[in-house]
Amino acid sequence: MKNVLILGAAGQISRLLTDGLLKQTDAKVILYARNAAGRLKVSESKREIFVDGDFNETDKLVQTMQGVDIVYVNDMRSERATQSIVAAMNRAGVKRIIAASVLGIYHEVAGAFGRWNERMVGSSSSLYAAAAKVLEDSALDYTLLRLTWLYNQEGNIACSLTQKEEPFIGAQVTRQAVAQLVIDIIQDKSGLYSRTSLGVSEPNTDWPKPSFY
């Protein structure tokens, strides 16, 4: 049984991930979020706990990480917050982390979609890039997920992956697919995802922009 800490547990992907972990695994889940008590409900009291906290509260993170096997970060856009998370993991002796970022942090999206994405994302891409560098420069066993544009579609868990050195292809992916990917990575024992930065998209969506724009 693994103990999984979800940072940013009130987000849409985090909620899908929590539900999936409870249904597909025997993991215990620690749900960490601002105002967690007011935003989250525990459905399985023997396997879920929630913690009110901010990513920048390093001491609280260290305390929360005691006994944790793997950390999932739902939105890694802040360099300072990422530094806090990495420091807390080092102090707590936790090595494994999966973190959600966005496409384009390496300017790896080409063509019409790449130009559209840069117009839409603007300067915020540099914030994600700085946070990603903190993680990649650390000694942690990380998997960085560079997510394309997100939407919801129940039952659609199709996704394709590209490596850091490869062009990013795919204009959209479901949150359901991302949540399932995270579960698959958590359960993987091969080391396939160790210290990797993966582009995450839906197959056959090599379009100038997402279908919902």
Side-chain angles (χ1 to χ4, degrees):
M1 178 182 292
K2 291 183 178 180
N3 294 321
V4 180
L5 171 59
I6 300 179
L7 299 180
Q12 291 187 62
I13 292 174
S14 291
R15 292 173 187 263
L16 292 167
L17 173 60
T18 300
D19 184 61
L21 286 170
L22 293 174
K23 290 178 178 177
Q24 299 178 40
T25 77
D26 62 356
K28 290 186 176 179
V29 186
I30 302 98
L31 306 173
Y32 188 101
R34 294 174 181 168
N35 189 27
R39 300 166 69 195
L40 299 171
K41 292 183 179 180
V42 170
S43 59
E44 292 195 29
S45 59
K46 292 183 179 180
R47 294 177 59 194
E48 293 176 276
I49 61 171
F50 58 76
V51 178
D52 286 307
D54 185 275
F55 290 179
N56 293 306
E57 296 181 83
T58 310
D59 290 340
K60 179 171 281 190
L61 285 172
V62 173
Q63 182 180 2
T64 305
M65 288 176 183
Q66 299 306 308
V68 164
D69 299 297
I70 187 165
V71 175
Y72 169 72
V73 185
N74 192 54
D75 186 0
M76 204 181 67
R77 77 174 73 191
S78 166
E79 181 178 9
R80 179 187 172 197
T82 305
Q83 290 169 340
S84 174
I85 292 166
V86 169
M89 290 182 67
N90 287 332
R91 285 170 55 186
V94 182
K95 297 298 183 184
R96 190 74 177 97
I97 181 171
I98 303 167
S101 185
V102 298
L103 76 170
I105 61 173
Y106 310 124
H107 304 288
E108 76 277 23
V109 190
F113 177 51
R115 293 189 292 273
W116 180 88
N117 182 68
E118 288 191 3
R119 287 198 304 271
M120 296 294 287
V121 173
S123 61
S124 66
S125 179
S126 63
L127 301 178
Y128 282 97
K133 189 174 188 303
V134 171
L135 192 60
E136 291 179 299
D137 287 347
S138 77
L140 297 176
D141 182 4
Y142 67 85
T143 304
L144 183 66
L145 303 178
R146 290 172 283 116
L147 308 179
T148 191
W149 290 77
L150 297 165
Y151 72 109
N152 293 319
Q153 187 175 76
E154 190 66 34
N156 182 355
I157 58 171
C159 76
S160 60
L161 304 177
T162 53
Q163 300 295 325
K164 180 177 180 179
E165 299 81 11
E166 298 173 340
F168 192 108
I169 298 173
Q172 63 189 47
V173 71
T174 68
R175 292 180 179 88
Q176 288 80 1
V178 175
Q180 185 59 52
L181 173 63
V182 175
I183 293 169
D184 293 344
I185 293 173
I186 288 172
Q187 293 184 298
D188 179 74
K189 297 179 181 179
S190 70
L192 176 66
Y193 304 102
S194 179
R195 291 188 66 83
T196 57
S197 175
L198 302 173
V200 183
S201 62
E202 185 175 321
N204 304 313
T205 62
D206 186 13
W207 304 328
K209 62 180 180 179
S211 63
F212 42 87
Y213 274 89

